[in-house]
Amino acid sequence: MESSGLVKRSNGHLGVTEPISWSGPTEYDVIKTQELEKYLADAGLYESQEEAVSREEILGRLDQIVKIWVKKVSRAKGFNEQFVQEANAKIFTFGSYRLGVHGPGADIDTLCVGPRHATREEDFFTELHNMLSEMPEVTELHPVPDAHVPVMRFKFSGVSIDLLYAKLSLWVIPEDLDISQDSILQNADEQTVRSLNGCRVTDQILRLVPNIQNFRTTLRCMRFWAKRRGVYSNVAGFLGGINWALLVARICQLYPNALPSMLVSRFFRVYTQWRWPNPVMLCEIQEGTLGLPIWDPRRNFRDRLHQMPIITPAYPCMNSSYNVSSSTLRVMTEEFQRGNEICEAMEANKADWDTLFEPYPFFEAYKNYLEIDITADNESDLRKWKGWVESRLRTLTLKIERHTFGMLHCHPCPRDFSDKSRPFHCCYFMGLQRKQGVPVQESEQFDIRGTVDDFKNSVSMYTLWKPGMEIQVSHRKRRNVPLFVFPGGVRPSRPPKVAGVDGHAVSGRKVSDMVHAGKPAGNVSHVADASTDRKQMEGKGASCDPIVESSSESRKGKQLDNRTDSNAANMNNLVDHILKPSEMGTPSSFANGVLDVPDESRKRKCMDVTTDSFATGSEFQADHSFKRPETSAAIAASVGPVTEVDNGESIFCSKEAETLAISKITSVPPSNLAALPEGLDELEYFESQGHDKGFGGPVGGHSVESSTVKDAITQLGSSYGSNTKNGGVEELEKSSELSAPYLGGAPASTANTQRKPLRLRLSTVAKSAGERS
């Protein structure tokens, strides 16, 4: 599966479509990849050899502990000594450690697989918990048995461990157990299926990428980028580790012979053009024989509400990114566009890796913020209270979006902050921004007091609530953001603004970046500094009306909003339809029969650019080489006219050809489909299932019990639908859904948190041109 040479596969290719390009690396790619690897190493993303050895020793020790534990349980249940000696349990790893992209100090996601007589509640969370608590090397032991994916968290010799448990139907667990087989799920309970999912998905990802080393380097890069740009957090509504792994793996399939530097560039290029909610899939979804629910928007209404489906490749397949909202999708779309433009500038040697990885200035990006403060009486209570509140924050975003009819966008900060002067305190922030491109009156306000009270009431319904657990939500202007959120407690100075080429104010710091990128400062609004000051704008001749946008910013805002708002319509097109390649038609860019090549200098031979329609023109040879279409007619029949050059070969202007290939892969099916049911949005479904009232459902409200048997979506951009079923199990994140509702009424904490009314004047929420990309 891993090879130093070009990828060659007996089945033609990996993935649900043909690759976009089979091209191997150029000398430029080799140099840029070396630069990238050095950059990642200098950033401290690789652990030392000593730490790697220590982790292996800890995992070996943990495996010994669970083997002792299962024998102890077997003996206590009255089994004979021979059976006790044969009793076995086994430790598996998953997540970043299994993928090989973990960094120094990262935790290890582990799974304990035990026999049918070792129960989860009594034996794992009681007996094993007691054994661990007596070990001096084990600290910070915290069981979460009521989580959607039950987990036991602790530190073993200083290394953080997340330990899940899967109870199989076997009496004896063989040492060579293969959990990738679907039969392992036979007669398994729901918690076991969810717990096994992490390992099964991780192993399947590694099987479905053409080059594991290139995949790992690219994934390290994208995880680092996502954290720097503030879009790494499943629980906050962005993407978590498994989501980024699946997105990167798909790019590796589309460019099987590319090196990491090119894979990073193509990551942004592909996902900038991706038409959500078309799903990202590594393989066709299999129906399976066990009847487990799988992801299928044609049969499950809940799945139709997903904004950014990223489907796991192991049975039962599911959407790993259902937490994404329209607001967080908008933020990620903007970041993909920014990354794409920077990578294009890098290809022209007018930008570098520092520009790509520049941290996102969250507290400069907006004029208004919501601050959510939580407190408790001790560290243990704060940890539990924090986990519960984190799992509810997504509902606040959904409530604000719904109650303001989508006119007020929320950008949750994916990390928490703590005021050291206050004991047992933690807080979260959300940036607030009026929907761009929509004219409003200056005096209009957003009154979200009722929305906030509704959120606080839902959070208060926590069965493990104790006196001292309090939550407060308040409105903060940018200038009043507390100092403890800034590094060193010092508010950074805001860079001076200068007029861009179109007369709009642009940060002086960013002007140099854009000049370095070879682009006019006023034309790259998302690279401009987000903290445009009104007074400074007036002094620089820019528009001083906060609801008046520059033409470029307005166009961008409308484009992003239209893309986000059309997700439901796109999903309508996706449901109940099988689109064959022959139905795709001729792309509109070739409607006039001419491929526009503006500049002869831009013509470059596009090596092996293909689309899904090329599959019938490629044959696998006995010598394991790929035979590509022999004539230009085969290509022209699939994707339109091509440009002829002197040597008679059919070639494309590479960027146009690649854009066309991406467009075909991510294209939306025809819209002549039945409309989806009306009158129910995602939040209403979430609440109607009891998930917003603490009834122990998953963080995203997608429980296996309430899922309907579903079919899967297969060929992206060409055929949607192979009769399959799908369900809803989430990625295990650091915060968990903790428990059932608090039945004694709202605790006093919510009644004693009277704050300044959250009535937001539009003039303070709206942002002027160039303030945020």
Side-chain angles (χ1 to χ4, degrees):
M1 188 170 299
E2 186 172 354
S3 172
S4 58
L6 299 184
V7 173
K8 301 174 182 178
R9 286 289 182 271
S10 59
N11 65 344
H13 62 85
L14 294 170
V16 295
T17 65
E18 276 275 312
I20 292 176
S21 174
W22 291 101
S23 299
T26 64
E27 183 178 354
Y28 171 84
D29 295 329
V30 174
I31 295 174
K32 297 303 291 185
T33 296
Q34 292 173 346
E35 292 178 0
L36 176 60
E37 291 174 342
K38 182 178 185 304
Y39 190 98
L40 299 179
D42 293 342
L45 300 187
Y46 295 89
E47 67 179 355
S48 64
Q49 182 63 29
E50 294 76 10
E51 187 174 0
V53 172
S54 175
R55 288 176 183 270
E56 293 179 1
E57 293 175 349
I58 290 173
L59 288 173
R61 177 74 175 119
L62 186 60
D63 190 62
Q64 294 176 355
I65 291 172
V66 298
K67 292 182 188 307
I68 296 173
W69 161 73
V70 76
K71 295 182 186 299
K72 184 176 180 179
V73 168
S74 301
R75 187 175 288 110
K77 292 181 182 286
F79 291 99
N80 61 48
E81 192 60 27
Q82 179 181 354
F83 183 88
V84 170
Q85 294 305 316
E86 293 177 353
N88 189 35
K90 186 173 175 58
I91 291 291
F92 293 87
T93 62
F94 62 100
S96 63
Y97 184 83
R98 176 70 181 94
L99 289 173
V101 295
H102 61 287
D107 60 0
I108 306 178
D109 296 314
T110 58
L111 170 70
C112 173
V113 176
R116 61 188 305 171
H117 61 278
T119 65
R120 177 177 292 101
E121 293 77 13
E122 296 180 1
D123 299 323
F124 181 78
F125 280 108
T126 301
E127 184 61 35
L128 181 58
H129 174 272
N130 293 338
M131 289 178 59
L132 292 172
S133 65
E134 296 173 356
M135 298 180 178
E137 59 265 49
V138 175
T139 59
E140 301 181 22
L141 182 59
H142 177 51
V144 192
D146 296 322
H148 185 58
V149 183
V151 59
M152 191 145 52
R153 297 190 174 110
F154 55 92
K155 286 188 176 181
F156 198 106
S157 298
V159 176
S160 296
I161 303 289
D162 282 358
L163 181 62
L164 312 184
Y165 181 65
K167 185 186 74 169
L168 303 186
S169 59
L170 304 174
W171 285 105
V172 177
I173 302 299
E175 195 64 26
D176 59 350
L177 178 68
D178 181 7
I179 61 175
S180 66
Q181 299 298 318
D182 291 350
S183 59
I184 206 75
L185 304 175
Q186 188 74 41
N187 298 323
D189 57 41
E190 294 171 1
Q191 291 89 347
T192 291
V193 172
R194 298 173 194 148
S195 299
L196 285 167
N197 186 61
C199 291
R200 288 167 53 82
V201 168
T202 303
D203 289 347
Q204 189 70 353
I205 290 174
L206 293 176
R207 294 187 185 100
L208 290 173
V209 294
N211 185 298
I212 292 179
Q213 187 56 48
N214 289 342
F215 164 75
R216 285 173 171 164
T217 302
T218 307
L219 180 55
R220 278 187 190 274
C221 173
M222 296 313 306
R223 284 164 57 96
F224 181 58
W225 173 85
K227 293 175 182 178
R228 299 279 282 186
R229 300 302 300 175
V231 291
Y232 189 100
S233 174
N234 185 294
V235 72
F238 295 106
L239 301 181
I242 191 66
N243 311 127
W244 291 108
L246 291 169
L247 290 182
V248 170
R250 184 67 182 120
I251 299 302
C252 291
Q253 291 180 341
L254 294 175
Y255 299 88
N257 292 317
L259 291 182
S261 63
M262 181 178 177
L263 291 172
V264 170
S265 171
R266 296 312 184 262
F267 179 97
F268 292 116
R269 181 173 298 179
V270 169
Y271 292 121
T272 292
Q273 300 181 49
W274 199 273
R275 299 182 185 180
W276 307 107
N278 279 351
V280 172
M281 301 188 301
L282 301 186
C283 59
E284 295 186 4
I285 301 176
Q286 302 300 319
E287 182 176 0
T289 60
L290 303 180
L292 296 175
I294 58 177
W295 186 82
D296 181 9
R298 298 176 304 174
R299 300 187 182 183
N300 188 353
F301 176 82
R302 179 71 173 87
D303 293 341
R304 305 181 195 182
L305 301 173
H306 295 164
Q307 301 278 336
M308 191 181 188
I310 303 173
I311 311 305
T312 57
Y315 178 78
C317 300
M318 61 204 68
N319 177 23
S320 64
S321 56
Y322 60 82
N323 271 354
V324 174
S325 69
S326 60
S327 286
T328 52
L329 176 58
R330 175 186 58 85
V331 172
M332 288 187 285
T333 300
E334 292 177 2
E335 289 300 324
F336 291 158
Q337 290 179 338
R338 171 188 177 273
N340 185 49
E341 292 189 13
I342 291 176
C343 285
E344 289 179 351
M346 291 176 62
E347 292 175 1
N349 293 323
K350 296 178 180 179
D352 54 23
W353 295 112
D354 282 326
T355 308
L356 182 66
F357 294 114
E358 181 180 352
Y360 179 70
F362 181 81
F363 291 105
E364 300 175 22
Y366 298 95
K367 290 183 178 179
N368 292 271
Y369 297 87
L370 280 186
E371 179 181 345
I372 301 98
D373 291 271
I374 61 173
T375 55
D377 284 345
N378 55 65
E379 187 66 32
S380 177
D381 286 352
L382 179 63
R383 181 172 61 247
K384 297 175 182 177
W385 185 229
K386 176 182 175 182
W388 171 255
V389 173
E390 278 187 349
S391 71
R392 304 291 91 189
L393 285 177
R394 174 175 172 266
T395 67
L396 178 57
T397 299
L398 294 176
K399 289 175 187 290
I400 292 176
E401 289 177 354
R402 185 182 69 174
H403 295 169
T404 62
F405 304 99
M407 295 300 296
L408 187 61
H409 288 165
C410 298
H411 180 175
C413 184
R415 56 160 297 188
D416 59 87
F417 301 87
S418 179
D419 185 355
K420 302 303 181 182
S421 65
R422 302 174 60 184
F424 313 121
H425 166 265
C426 178
C427 68
Y428 305 87
F429 288 86
M430 290 185 179
L432 300 175
Q433 172 188 358
R434 181 182 61 81
K435 181 178 180 180
Q436 297 181 2
V438 178
V440 294
Q441 294 183 354
E442 181 69 18
S443 59
E444 186 177 354
Q445 294 181 340
F446 289 116
D447 188 347
I448 59 174
R449 290 174 294 182
T451 304
V452 169
D453 289 340
D454 189 17
F455 165 73
K456 291 165 64 177
N457 289 335
S458 69
V459 170
S460 70
M461 303 179 74
Y462 174 42
T463 191
L464 300 180
W465 181 88
K466 296 181 180 179
M469 291 182 176
E470 297 185 0
I471 180 171
Q472 297 176 341
V473 182
S474 56
H475 170 218
R476 290 274 192 175
K477 294 290 188 66
R478 179 170 57 198
R479 62 179 177 272
N480 296 326
V481 170
L483 295 179
F484 62 78
V485 305
F486 300 106
V490 179
R491 189 186 305 273
S493 59
R494 301 180 62 193
K497 311 296 186 297
V498 297
V501 296
D502 56 357
H504 296 104
V506 178
S507 164
R509 174 173 58 87
K510 291 294 184 179
V511 167
S512 62
D513 291 344
M514 287 180 281
V515 170
H516 182 56
K519 299 184 179 183
N523 292 339
V524 190
S525 58
H526 76 270
V527 184
D529 182 45
S531 57
T532 304
D533 185 89
R534 182 182 178 115
K535 294 182 179 179
Q536 289 175 320
M537 289 178 65
E538 293 172 351
K540 299 300 180 180
S543 172
C544 62
D545 187 342
I547 64 172
V548 176
E549 300 171 335
S550 69
S551 57
S552 61
E553 185 72 12
S554 178
R555 285 194 302 269
K556 178 181 175 183
K558 291 179 180 178
Q559 177 187 5
L560 291 173
D561 289 328
N562 290 339
R563 177 179 295 185
T564 302
D565 293 342
S566 65
N567 282 350
N570 289 345
M571 186 58 81
N572 285 344
N573 300 338
L574 203 64
V575 179
D576 297 331
H577 185 74
I578 299 178
L579 180 64
K580 298 178 175 58
S582 60
E583 298 177 291
M584 293 297 295
T586 303
S588 58
S589 58
F590 289 97
N592 59 2
V594 179
L595 176 64
D596 180 25
V597 184
D599 190 336
E600 183 68 24
S601 64
R602 293 174 54 201
K603 294 182 180 179
R604 183 174 63 87
K605 186 168 184 177
C606 181
M607 297 178 60
D608 315 326
V609 175
T610 64
T611 68
D612 52 329
S613 299
F614 293 178
T616 57
S618 299
E619 300 177 359
F620 189 77
Q621 304 299 301
D623 61 353
H624 302 292
S625 62
F626 283 96
K627 180 181 179 181
R628 298 174 179 83
E630 297 178 355
T631 65
S632 61
I635 300 179
S638 298
V639 298
V642 294
T643 301
E644 296 291 332
V645 291
D646 294 340
N647 60 8
E649 293 182 279
S650 299
I651 65 170
F652 296 104
C653 173
S654 69
K655 190 168 183 179
E656 281 81 353
E658 189 171 14
T659 299
L660 173 61
I662 295 171
S663 177
K664 290 179 70 66
I665 287 177
T666 65
S667 60
V668 179
S671 58
N672 55 347
L673 300 174
L676 294 178
E678 297 180 356
L680 181 68
D681 64 15
E682 182 177 9
L683 181 60
E684 288 171 340
Y685 185 92
F686 187 88
E687 294 172 340
S688 69
Q689 299 298 312
H691 302 307
D692 196 37
K693 298 177 174 57
F695 285 101
V699 174
H702 194 160
S703 66
V704 171
E705 302 134 314
S706 62
S707 296
T708 307
V709 174
K710 312 167 241 173
D711 279 28
I713 293 176
T714 56
Q715 278 299 79
L716 295 183
S718 72
S719 63
Y720 287 86
S722 238
N723 295 325
T724 51
K725 303 176 171 182
N726 190 22
V729 180
E730 68 198 48
E731 174 197 9
L732 175 68
E733 286 293 319
K734 300 312 173 215
S735 69
S736 303
E737 184 114 352
L738 299 179
S739 126
Y742 177 76
L743 301 179
S749 58
T750 59
N752 298 326
T753 57
Q754 299 296 328
R755 301 291 293 244
K756 180 181 178 181
L758 288 165
R759 180 177 295 170
L760 308 179
R761 186 176 297 277
L762 191 65
S763 60
T764 64
V765 177
K767 297 194 311 175
S768 53
E771 182 156 359
R772 185 186 184 277
S773 59

